[in-house]
Amino acid sequence: MLKLVSATVEKFGKLDVLVNNAGGSSYEHLGKRILDIPVDDFSKMIDLNVKPVLRISQLAVPQLEKTKGAIVNVSSISAYHKLDICVVNYLNCSV
């Protein structure tokens, strides 16, 4: 990730904005209570969705401070609503 920030500054001369718009999930535990999800599976989710956002933000902040830039974190509405299987499997649904 350091190479990503360095290459961006090298090519464009500065960094104005960082957009954290990546992540994913597994539908293996869809509908399960948090108590029923193995710790290893939860750790994988944190490794994919949280740690990279923290790390790239830490690397970008020194450059963003110079330009008074911003960090935009994009998330999913899925965090707030129980998903219907049709929403999760949208491409396989017939509407």
PDB file of all heavy atoms in Angstrom, residues 17-23 52-57 71-75:
ATOM      1  N   VAL A  17      -7.472  13.240  -2.320  1.00  0.00           N
ATOM      2  CA  VAL A  17      -8.565  12.464  -1.739  1.00  0.00           C
ATOM      3  C   VAL A  17      -8.216  10.975  -1.737  1.00  0.00           C
ATOM      4  O   VAL A  17      -7.528  10.489  -2.630  1.00  0.00           O
ATOM      5  CB  VAL A  17      -9.899  12.702  -2.497  1.00  0.00           C
ATOM      6  CG1 VAL A  17      -9.843  12.188  -3.929  1.00  0.00           C
ATOM      7  CG2 VAL A  17     -11.074  12.092  -1.760  1.00  0.00           C
ATOM      8  N   LEU A  18      -8.669  10.307  -0.704  1.00  0.00           N
ATOM      9  CA  LEU A  18      -8.575   8.857  -0.617  1.00  0.00           C
ATOM     10  C   LEU A  18      -9.997   8.338  -0.502  1.00  0.00           C
ATOM     11  O   LEU A  18     -10.746   8.761   0.380  1.00  0.00           O
ATOM     12  CB  LEU A  18      -7.770   8.424   0.617  1.00  0.00           C
ATOM     13  CG  LEU A  18      -7.830   6.929   0.954  1.00  0.00           C
ATOM     14  CD1 LEU A  18      -7.153   6.101  -0.131  1.00  0.00           C
ATOM     15  CD2 LEU A  18      -7.213   6.666   2.313  1.00  0.00           C
ATOM     16  N   VAL A  19     -10.387   7.458  -1.406  1.00  0.00           N
ATOM     17  CA  VAL A  19     -11.714   6.843  -1.345  1.00  0.00           C
ATOM     18  C   VAL A  19     -11.526   5.376  -0.987  1.00  0.00           C
ATOM     19  O   VAL A  19     -10.974   4.606  -1.756  1.00  0.00           O
ATOM     20  CB  VAL A  19     -12.469   6.975  -2.683  1.00  0.00           C
ATOM     21  CG1 VAL A  19     -13.827   6.281  -2.604  1.00  0.00           C
ATOM     22  CG2 VAL A  19     -12.630   8.437  -3.065  1.00  0.00           C
ATOM     23  N   ASN A  20     -11.974   5.026   0.200  1.00  0.00           N
ATOM     24  CA  ASN A  20     -11.946   3.630   0.640  1.00  0.00           C
ATOM     25  C   ASN A  20     -13.262   2.998   0.192  1.00  0.00           C
ATOM     26  O   ASN A  20     -14.302   3.220   0.787  1.00  0.00           O
ATOM     27  CB  ASN A  20     -11.803   3.547   2.167  1.00  0.00           C
ATOM     28  CG  ASN A  20     -10.426   3.941   2.626  1.00  0.00           C
ATOM     29  OD1 ASN A  20      -9.431   3.506   2.076  1.00  0.00           O
ATOM     30  ND2 ASN A  20     -10.375   4.797   3.635  1.00  0.00           N
ATOM     31  N   ASN A  21     -13.197   2.229  -0.895  1.00  0.00           N
ATOM     32  CA  ASN A  21     -14.402   1.642  -1.473  1.00  0.00           C
ATOM     33  C   ASN A  21     -14.115   0.197  -1.875  1.00  0.00           C
ATOM     34  O   ASN A  21     -14.192  -0.166  -3.040  1.00  0.00           O
ATOM     35  CB  ASN A  21     -14.855   2.448  -2.684  1.00  0.00           C
ATOM     36  CG  ASN A  21     -16.166   1.962  -3.236  1.00  0.00           C
ATOM     37  OD1 ASN A  21     -16.997   1.448  -2.508  1.00  0.00           O
ATOM     38  ND2 ASN A  21     -16.350   2.109  -4.530  1.00  0.00           N
ATOM     39  N   ALA A  22     -13.761  -0.603  -0.906  1.00  0.00           N
ATOM     40  CA  ALA A  22     -13.486  -2.003  -1.190  1.00  0.00           C
ATOM     41  C   ALA A  22     -13.944  -2.832  -0.011  1.00  0.00           C
ATOM     42  O   ALA A  22     -14.101  -2.327   1.100  1.00  0.00           O
ATOM     43  CB  ALA A  22     -11.994  -2.219  -1.434  1.00  0.00           C
ATOM     44  N   GLY A  23     -14.149  -4.065  -0.255  1.00  0.00           N
ATOM     45  CA  GLY A  23     -14.569  -4.953   0.816  1.00  0.00           C
ATOM     46  C   GLY A  23     -15.323  -6.123   0.250  1.00  0.00           C
ATOM     47  O   GLY A  23     -15.470  -6.273  -0.957  1.00  0.00           O
ATOM     48  N   PRO A  52      -7.325  -3.059   5.935  1.00  0.00           N
ATOM     49  CA  PRO A  52      -6.804  -2.303   4.781  1.00  0.00           C
ATOM     50  C   PRO A  52      -7.230  -0.830   4.786  1.00  0.00           C
ATOM     51  O   PRO A  52      -6.457   0.041   4.397  1.00  0.00           O
ATOM     52  CB  PRO A  52      -7.392  -3.036   3.572  1.00  0.00           C
ATOM     53  CG  PRO A  52      -7.681  -4.415   4.066  1.00  0.00           C
ATOM     54  CD  PRO A  52      -8.095  -4.237   5.498  1.00  0.00           C
ATOM     55  N   VAL A  53      -8.452  -0.557   5.230  1.00  0.00           N
ATOM     56  CA  VAL A  53      -8.927   0.829   5.313  1.00  0.00           C
ATOM     57  C   VAL A  53      -8.073   1.614   6.303  1.00  0.00           C
ATOM     58  O   VAL A  53      -7.649   2.743   6.017  1.00  0.00           O
ATOM     59  CB  VAL A  53     -10.419   0.870   5.717  1.00  0.00           C
ATOM     60  CG1 VAL A  53     -10.849   2.290   6.049  1.00  0.00           C
ATOM     61  CG2 VAL A  53     -11.285   0.275   4.620  1.00  0.00           C
ATOM     62  N   LEU A  54      -7.806   1.015   7.439  1.00  0.00           N
ATOM     63  CA  LEU A  54      -6.960   1.664   8.444  1.00  0.00           C
ATOM     64  C   LEU A  54      -5.563   1.903   7.892  1.00  0.00           C
ATOM     65  O   LEU A  54      -5.024   3.016   7.988  1.00  0.00           O
ATOM     66  CB  LEU A  54      -6.891   0.818   9.716  1.00  0.00           C
ATOM     67  CG  LEU A  54      -5.926   1.312  10.788  1.00  0.00           C
ATOM     68  CD1 LEU A  54      -6.337   2.677  11.315  1.00  0.00           C
ATOM     69  CD2 LEU A  54      -5.821   0.308  11.917  1.00  0.00           C
ATOM     70  N   ARG A  55      -4.968   0.899   7.287  1.00  0.00           N
ATOM     71  CA  ARG A  55      -3.578   1.009   6.829  1.00  0.00           C
ATOM     72  C   ARG A  55      -3.416   2.040   5.718  1.00  0.00           C
ATOM     73  O   ARG A  55      -2.518   2.874   5.763  1.00  0.00           O
ATOM     74  CB  ARG A  55      -3.054  -0.358   6.379  1.00  0.00           C
ATOM     75  CG  ARG A  55      -1.592  -0.334   6.040  1.00  0.00           C
ATOM     76  CD  ARG A  55      -0.749   0.015   7.265  1.00  0.00           C
ATOM     77  NE  ARG A  55       0.643   0.157   6.893  1.00  0.00           N
ATOM     78  CZ  ARG A  55       1.431   1.140   7.297  1.00  0.00           C
ATOM     79  NH1 ARG A  55       0.995   2.030   8.151  1.00  0.00           N
ATOM     80  NH2 ARG A  55       2.666   1.209   6.910  1.00  0.00           N
ATOM     81  N   ILE A  56      -4.271   1.979   4.705  1.00  0.00           N
ATOM     82  CA  ILE A  56      -4.130   2.937   3.598  1.00  0.00           C
ATOM     83  C   ILE A  56      -4.419   4.355   4.082  1.00  0.00           C
ATOM     84  O   ILE A  56      -3.781   5.312   3.641  1.00  0.00           O
ATOM     85  CB  ILE A  56      -5.005   2.549   2.383  1.00  0.00           C
ATOM     86  CG1 ILE A  56      -4.609   3.335   1.138  1.00  0.00           C
ATOM     87  CG2 ILE A  56      -6.478   2.748   2.655  1.00  0.00           C
ATOM     88  CD1 ILE A  56      -3.356   2.888   0.470  1.00  0.00           C
ATOM     89  N   SER A  57      -5.329   4.490   5.027  1.00  0.00           N
ATOM     90  CA  SER A  57      -5.612   5.814   5.592  1.00  0.00           C
ATOM     91  C   SER A  57      -4.399   6.344   6.344  1.00  0.00           C
ATOM     92  O   SER A  57      -4.038   7.522   6.209  1.00  0.00           O
ATOM     93  CB  SER A  57      -6.831   5.761   6.514  1.00  0.00           C
ATOM     94  OG  SER A  57      -7.989   5.401   5.788  1.00  0.00           O
ATOM     95  N   ILE A  71     -10.717  12.043   3.267  1.00  0.00           N
ATOM     96  CA  ILE A  71     -10.913  10.601   3.147  1.00  0.00           C
ATOM     97  C   ILE A  71     -12.409  10.360   3.058  1.00  0.00           C
ATOM     98  O   ILE A  71     -13.181  10.871   3.868  1.00  0.00           O
ATOM     99  CB  ILE A  71     -10.342   9.845   4.361  1.00  0.00           C
ATOM    100  CG1 ILE A  71      -8.831  10.037   4.448  1.00  0.00           C
ATOM    101  CG2 ILE A  71     -10.701   8.365   4.281  1.00  0.00           C
ATOM    102  CD1 ILE A  71      -8.198   9.426   5.680  1.00  0.00           C
ATOM    103  N   VAL A  72     -12.811   9.598   2.059  1.00  0.00           N
ATOM    104  CA  VAL A  72     -14.208   9.221   1.889  1.00  0.00           C
ATOM    105  C   VAL A  72     -14.301   7.712   2.087  1.00  0.00           C
ATOM    106  O   VAL A  72     -13.661   6.946   1.371  1.00  0.00           O
ATOM    107  CB  VAL A  72     -14.726   9.584   0.475  1.00  0.00           C
ATOM    108  CG1 VAL A  72     -16.170   9.131   0.296  1.00  0.00           C
ATOM    109  CG2 VAL A  72     -14.568  11.075   0.220  1.00  0.00           C
ATOM    110  N   ASN A  73     -15.069   7.306   3.083  1.00  0.00           N
ATOM    111  CA  ASN A  73     -15.276   5.887   3.348  1.00  0.00           C
ATOM    112  C   ASN A  73     -16.648   5.481   2.836  1.00  0.00           C
ATOM    113  O   ASN A  73     -17.660   6.028   3.271  1.00  0.00           O
ATOM    114  CB  ASN A  73     -15.167   5.584   4.849  1.00  0.00           C
ATOM    115  CG  ASN A  73     -13.765   5.764   5.362  1.00  0.00           C
ATOM    116  OD1 ASN A  73     -12.806   5.286   4.770  1.00  0.00           O
ATOM    117  ND2 ASN A  73     -13.623   6.475   6.454  1.00  0.00           N
ATOM    118  N   VAL A  74     -16.669   4.555   1.907  1.00  0.00           N
ATOM    119  CA  VAL A  74     -17.915   4.068   1.330  1.00  0.00           C
ATOM    120  C   VAL A  74     -18.263   2.752   2.011  1.00  0.00           C
ATOM    121  O   VAL A  74     -17.409   1.892   2.183  1.00  0.00           O
ATOM    122  CB  VAL A  74     -17.764   3.856  -0.192  1.00  0.00           C
ATOM    123  CG1 VAL A  74     -19.053   3.334  -0.799  1.00  0.00           C
ATOM    124  CG2 VAL A  74     -17.328   5.156  -0.867  1.00  0.00           C
ATOM    125  N   SER A  75     -19.514   2.626   2.404  1.00  0.00           N
ATOM    126  CA  SER A  75     -19.940   1.384   3.040  1.00  0.00           C
ATOM    127  C   SER A  75     -21.201   0.884   2.360  1.00  0.00           C
ATOM    128  O   SER A  75     -21.671   1.462   1.390  1.00  0.00           O
ATOM    129  CB  SER A  75     -20.179   1.605   4.536  1.00  0.00           C
ATOM    130  OG  SER A  75     -21.249   2.495   4.720  1.00  0.00           O
TER     131      SER A  75
END
